[in-house]
Amino acid sequence: MLTRIDHIGIACFDLDKTVEFYRATYGFEVFHTEVNEEQGVREAMLKINETSDGGASYLQLLEPTREDSAVGKWLAKNGEGVHHIAFGTADVDGESEAIRGKGVRVLYDQPRTGSMGSRITFLHPKDCHGVLTELVTAAPPASTDH
């Protein structure tokens, strides 16, 4: 079951400048930053709110670290803007298989590691009315046991 909008991914040419825009304009602060070498992006997650299922909703700002990355190619073709929408689920494996069974192409055979240690996969935009769609299972909370 899809439980929430996990994040909206926004492709940008200059991550720092884009973060500053969202901070100055809307008051959103950076919750997390990382470089995902596999995806070829530097990203910032701006938390918008907490959700009733223990997750949160974010804006994910994405700057390519190389031109041949998916986001780099997308930016070259489309310019800055909304890149994808991501829905949260407790079971990305099961959800992606169920959606695949409905005839939607799932882009990864097995989910991969995404932002903040999450498990992710993408659905083909041609099967989703032109929208690149991501499915996300958030990483379990860090243990506080010592």
Side-chain angles (χ1 to χ4, degrees), residues 5-87:
I5 294 175
D6 185 85
H7 66 272
I8 306 291
I10 299 173
C12 61
F13 291 111
D14 183 329
L15 185 65
D16 297 327
K17 184 177 176 183
T18 306
V19 164
E20 179 53 27
F21 169 81
Y22 280 95
R23 189 205 58 73
T25 305
Y26 305 116
F28 299 152
E29 296 294 337
V30 173
F31 178 78
H32 176 82
T33 61
E34 71 181 81
V35 174
N36 185 320
E37 295 293 343
E38 180 182 2
Q39 299 287 326
V41 294
R42 186 169 76 105
E43 64 180 79
M45 297 294 273
L46 286 64
K47 186 185 278 188
I48 307 305
N49 67 317
E50 303 288 334
T51 60
S52 62
D53 66 357
S57 293
Y58 302 91
L59 285 181
Q60 178 187 45
L61 306 179
L62 301 159
E63 175 189 60
T65 58
R66 55 183 198 269
E67 291 179 11
D68 69 338
S69 70
V71 172
K73 291 174 185 176
W74 190 90
L75 268 171
K77 180 179 179 183
N78 301 292
E80 293 184 308
V82 174
H83 180 261
H84 67 275
I85 185 168
F87 295 110

Side-chain angles (χ1 to χ4, degrees), residues 104-123:
V104 175
R105 287 174 281 179
V106 178
L107 299 183
Y108 303 150
D109 289 333
Q110 296 294 319
R112 297 181 181 178
T113 302
S115 300
M116 301 182 292
S118 62
R119 289 179 43 80
I120 65 164
T121 196
F122 285 90
L123 309 178

